[in-house]
Structures are given as C-alpha cells and as structure tokens.
C-alpha cells in the first residue's frame, strides 16, 4: 500500500516538474518575444573606405581599413537613455501620413527600443467653422489616432516654418522642425516612403553616435554634399532659430536649406557610421546592379531601402503595369528584390493604413484632373479598429 502510494506521489511529482519546466520555457520565450531588441554589441569600429554601393554588395563586405580607438573609449563611458533617443517622421501633407506610419510599424515590428515621434501640421487639429472636414483630413485624423495607439508614437503638431505662412500648404512646413524637439538628445529622420529591413544598425547609430548638430547620409561617395535620405540630428534651440531665420529670407527646398546651413563633410555621417552596413539604399540604384549582385547579401546588409525611382511618383501610387516592367532592374536578382519591395509596400499599406494605392495620372492628364471635383478616398478597413480610434487625439504640444 505504502509503495503504491509513493509511486503515485512520485509520478505526480514528475508530472508537476515536467509541467513546470514546460511552463518556464514558454514564459522565457514569451519574455524574449516581447522584450525590445537592443542593439547588438558594436562591430569592431573599422571604417571601410568610401563604398561604391553596387560593387560593395556584389561581393562580400569590402576591404576594411583603419580603426578608431577614441570611439571605443567614448562609447565605454556612455549609458544609453533610450527615452532621449528617437525616430522622427515629418509629414507635410495628407498623402505622406501613411508612409510615415509604415516606418513606425516597421520599427515596432523590429522591436526598436527608441522613441517614435511624428511631426504633422497643427492645422489638422483645428476645426474650420461651418465647414465639414475633407475626406483626406478625416482619414489623416484616423491614422493619427491609430499610429499613437498601435505603435506608441508621440504626436507633435508643428507650426509653419515661417510665421504667418499659409498653413494649408505643404511647402509651408519644413524638416527643420525636427530641431524643435529639444527634449531629445538625438533623433533619426528617414526619408519615407521606404522599408526598414533591419533596425539594428539604425539603433546602433542612434545609441553610439556623438551628438552633433547634423550627421547626414552623404549624397555621393565623394562625401562633398549632404542628402536628405537619412539625418541624425541633435536638436537645439539655437539651430532651430538659425534655420527658421534663414528660411524666412526666401522660399527654398529643405535640401537647400540644410545644405546652406550645414557644410559637408563636417555634417556627414562618419565613415565609422557607414561601416555599420548599408544604412540607406535608394531603390532606383538597384538598376545599376552589376553581374554577381546577390539579393541575399543585399537584404542582410541593408537597413533601410528608400523607395525612390526618379521616373515613378512613389510606391503609394498605382503605376501602370507596363511602366513598372520597363523600369524594373535588368539584373535578375536586383529586379526580383525591386519588385518584391514595391509589392510588399502595397500589401502592407493596406494592412497598416487600410488604404488602396492612390490613383496616378501621367503629368499630361493632371491638368484636366485638377479641374474636376476631389474624389473621395477609397477605404477598406476592419470595423473594430474604427471604434477604438474614435477617441480623442492625444497630442504633446509644448507650444499650445
Ligand atoms: C548569395 O549569397 C549567399 C550567401 O553568401 C549564398 O548562399 C548564395 O548561394 C548566393 N546566391 C547566388 C545566386 O549566388
């Protein structure tokens, strides 16, 4: 009797223990799954020689030269305060909002630990008396709620860059508003639309860079000009004022405003930063891919692909099939990557924003189109999201 009951007891114990082990394992994998993914330890800080991108990705990672002992010492002294590091998107017009939201969705999916901030026209919050909001404004308000709720994005209304400018014009707003975010130590701006393939190098760039007014991705491998595809910014009141004052003197594009205010090569990302990988790649460049271009190597080494082909209006527009075929890179591997990036963008735009592609008319037809009534935006989206997003907009607005 005693034996059989101790056998029962033994089996109960074994059963309990195996259940416990199983449960612990599930808890651990759950914890791993929800934990923000912190940047990997730094690669050895060996800058590579100014890369010619296409040649670089046709081969294993290029030749590495030099080293930066100072930098290692510098980061050794750093403690990373993620609450003061962030990714910022600047939206000047309705059509840009979904693309900004998709960048935040990527950061969320890839579990970046940094803050997310969205700058958008303050005019979108104001009700015009006796006037119903336009369908694009209604859509934007819905997306603003969604981006805050789903991806924890801080909503920051921005004013026009020049006082008293027409707040309904996209050209009244500027990337210079990033400099108003003075409570952040460093922020990264990625030019949308695009697809983040790997947030790791971007997080490392945020975490381990020195703060300087501007560190921009170089426009060319000669490093003699800045581009607007990736900015790392240390926002200060003085730079914000300086940019606003210069912009007030005459209308100019953001690129010109930044080029006049920050000189190259001092305001470029360091060669160390560029050695983190292919930080930004423009999709149009895939057309220059040479024999031996390897899609697997490209995708693994690239952090952000900006979807920008000079002949195309952008991935958010529906472009006729023949135009797409004509522009697809000739190189087979590069062509496949290119087509996949555009297709993924289209699918995720529907998933994330509930929006179809925008209709695109060739420039010749646009004049006619403009005289017609504004077409209501077509939307398809699940009903349950709608309800949760009907609450009030929560915005952070120090200026109000
Ligand atoms: C691309 O590179 C990967 C990894 O280096 C390799 O396994 C694969 O075979 C290459 N593909 C082609 C088509 O060369």
């Amino acid at each position: 009797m005693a034996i059989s009951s101790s056998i029962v007891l033994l089996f109960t114990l074994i059963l309990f223990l195996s259940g416990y082990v199983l449960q612990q394992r599930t808890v651990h994998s759950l914890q791993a799954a929800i934990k923000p993914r912190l940047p990997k330890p730094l690669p050895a800080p060996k800058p590579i020689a100014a890369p010619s991108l296409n040649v670089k990705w046709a081969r294993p990672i290029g030749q590495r030269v030099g080293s930066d002992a100072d930098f290692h010492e510098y980061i050794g002294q750093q403690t990373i305060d993620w609450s003061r590091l962030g990714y910022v998107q600047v939206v000047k017009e309705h059509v840009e909002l979904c693309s900004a939201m998709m960048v935040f969705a990527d950061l969320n999916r890839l579990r970046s630990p940094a803050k997310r901030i969205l700058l958008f026209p303050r005019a979108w919050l104001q009700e015009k008396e006796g006037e119903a909001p336009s369908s694009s404004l209604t859509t934007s308000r819905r997306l603003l709620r969604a981006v805050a709720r789903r991806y924890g994005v801080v909503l920051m209304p921005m004013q026009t860059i020049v006082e008293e400018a027409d707040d309904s014009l996209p050209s009244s707003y500027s990337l210079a508003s990033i400099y108003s975010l003075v409570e952040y130590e460093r922020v990264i701006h990625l030019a949308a639309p695009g697809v983040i393939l790997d947030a790791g190098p971007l997080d490392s760039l945020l975490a381990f860079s020195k703060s300087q007014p501007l560190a921009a991705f170089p426009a060319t491998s000669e490093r003699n000009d800045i581009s607007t595809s990736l900015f790392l910014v240390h926002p200060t009141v003085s730079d914000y004022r300086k940019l606003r004052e210069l912009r007030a003197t005459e209308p100019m594009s953001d690129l010109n405003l930044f080029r006049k205010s920050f000189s190259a090569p001092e305001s470029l990302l360091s060669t160390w930063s560029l050695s983190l990988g292919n930080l930004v790649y423009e999709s149009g460049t895939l057309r220059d891919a040479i024999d031996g271009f390897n899609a697997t190597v490209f995708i693994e080494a690239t952090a952000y692909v900006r979807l920008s082909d000079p002949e195309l209006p952008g991935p958010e527009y529906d472009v006729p099939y023949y135009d797409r075929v004509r522009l697809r890179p000739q190189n087979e591997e590069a062509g496949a990557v290119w087509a996949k990036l555009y297709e993924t963008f289209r699918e995720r735009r529907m998933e994330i924003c509930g929006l179809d592609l925008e209709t695109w008319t060739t420039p010749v037809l646009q004049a006619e189109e403009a005289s017609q009534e504004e077409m209501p935006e077509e939307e398809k989206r699940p009903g349950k999201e709608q309800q949760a997003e009907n609450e009030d907009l929560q915005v952070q607005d120090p200026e109000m």
Side-chain angles (χ1 to χ4, degrees):
M1 197 62 193
I3 292 174
S4 72
S5 70
S6 40
I7 287 174
V8 169
L9 201 69
L10 184 68
F11 275 97
T12 313
L13 189 68
I14 289 171
L15 209 63
F16 169 77
L17 282 177
S18 63
Y20 178 76
V21 168
L22 211 66
Q23 189 197 15
Q24 282 302 304
R25 227 184 267 166
T26 321
V27 168
H28 281 305
S29 59
L30 263 178
Q31 280 170 342
I34 55 180
K35 194 168 67 178
R37 184 200 38 67
L38 296 171
K40 283 178 234 135
L42 279 178
K46 294 179 195 152
I48 45 171
S52 159
L53 292 176
N54 296 297
V55 178
K56 189 175 163 192
W57 303 121
R59 300 187 196 136
I61 303 303
Q63 180 196 7
R64 289 170 178 260
V65 290
S67 77
D68 192 347
D70 278 356
F71 194 83
H72 237 15
E73 199 185 308
Y74 169 75
I75 59 159
Q77 298 156 359
Q78 297 294 299
T79 50
I80 300 165
D81 179 3
W82 287 102
S83 69
R84 302 200 61 217
L85 303 172
Y87 289 90
V88 61
Q89 286 284 297
V90 180
V91 168
K92 303 174 188 175
E93 54 185 315
H94 295 296
V95 71
E96 295 174 342
L97 181 53
C98 173
S99 299
M101 187 167 172
M102 290 173 73
V103 168
F104 292 126
D106 278 345
L107 290 168
N108 190 63
R109 180 173 50 86
L110 298 167
R111 303 208 300 272
S112 164
K115 292 275 178 197
R116 297 151 200 173
I117 309 125
L118 177 69
L119 286 162
F120 65 99
R122 170 177 304 178
W124 291 3
L125 298 176
Q126 285 145 10
E127 296 297 341
K128 294 235 170 72
E129 234 170 281
E131 221 181 283
S134 67
S135 67
S136 33
L137 180 57
T138 308
T139 303
S140 288
R141 288 180 179 168
R142 168 175 73 73
L143 294 181
L144 285 175
R145 287 183 198 102
V147 77
R149 191 176 55 85
R150 290 188 217 156
Y151 312 125
V153 173
V154 180
L155 302 179
M156 299 286 282
M158 62 176 166
Q159 45 184 298
T160 56
I161 198 66
V162 177
E163 255 172 272
E164 314 278 304
D166 182 346
D167 65 6
S168 67
L169 291 179
S171 58
S172 300
Y173 299 94
S174 168
L175 287 180
S177 289
I178 293 172
Y179 283 86
S180 69
L181 301 172
V182 291
E183 67 265 46
Y184 296 91
E185 181 64 27
R186 285 185 294 277
V187 292
I188 283 183
H189 174 261
L190 296 168
V195 178
I196 301 178
L197 297 174
D198 182 1
L202 300 170
D203 288 337
S204 297
L205 182 65
L206 255 187
F208 304 122
S209 295
K210 291 182 188 181
S211 294
Q212 63 181 81
L214 177 74
F217 196 74
T220 60
S221 55
E222 286 80 45
R223 297 181 62 80
N224 47 19
D225 250 331
I226 65 166
S227 81
T228 47
S229 51
L230 184 159
F231 281 160
L232 177 66
V233 164
H234 169 56
T236 56
V237 174
S238 61
D239 280 320
Y240 184 45
R241 188 181 305 128
K242 190 179 84 175
L243 286 159
R244 283 173 65 98
E245 278 168 8
L246 178 59
R247 181 62 179 72
T249 59
E250 55 172 328
M252 63 184 99
S253 69
D254 281 337
L255 183 60
N256 283 338
L257 175 63
F258 276 73
R259 282 186 176 171
K260 282 186 181 175
S261 307
F262 303 100
S263 57
E266 302 79 48
S267 298
L268 293 176
L269 288 171
S270 67
T271 43
W272 174 82
S273 306
L274 297 173
S275 76
L276 287 169
N278 214 359
L279 289 175
V280 185
Y281 194 92
E282 307 239 343
S283 58
T285 320
L286 283 167
R287 275 182 261 164
D288 307 331
I290 55 172
D291 281 351
F293 176 94
N294 182 316
T296 317
V297 173
F298 172 79
I299 287 169
E300 277 177 7
T302 303
Y304 180 65
V305 183
R306 180 184 186 187
L307 291 174
S308 161
D309 286 71
E311 302 86 347
L312 293 176
E316 63 274 59
Y317 290 91
D318 195 13
V319 170
Y321 177 75
Y322 289 107
D323 288 330
R324 274 184 289 145
V325 171
R326 188 169 52 80
L327 295 170
R328 184 184 162 123
Q330 300 291 306
N331 178 293
E332 202 181 312
E333 291 250 320
V337 171
W338 188 87
K340 177 99 172 102
L341 286 168
Y342 272 89
E343 178 56 19
T344 307
F345 187 93
R346 188 190 66 75
E347 284 169 11
R348 303 201 52 230
R349 185 176 148 92
M350 175 54 83
E351 238 169 71
I352 291 165
C353 309
L355 294 175
D356 266 326
L357 292 181
E358 307 276 332
T359 47
W360 181 53
T361 44
T362 49
V364 190
L365 293 172
Q366 248 163 17
E368 280 174 43
E369 187 89 350
S371 65
Q372 289 172 9
E373 288 286 289
E374 194 182 322
M375 302 279 283
E377 217 164 327
E378 199 173 323
E379 288 189 43
K380 296 177 196 148
R381 55 193 324 280
K384 68 171 165 44
E385 296 287 343
Q386 193 89 52
Q387 217 152 35
E389 282 151 19
N390 273 345
E391 55 215 48
D392 281 340
L393 274 176
Q394 301 279 319
V395 297
Q396 269 205 8
D397 195 356
E399 289 161 8
M400 263 181 173

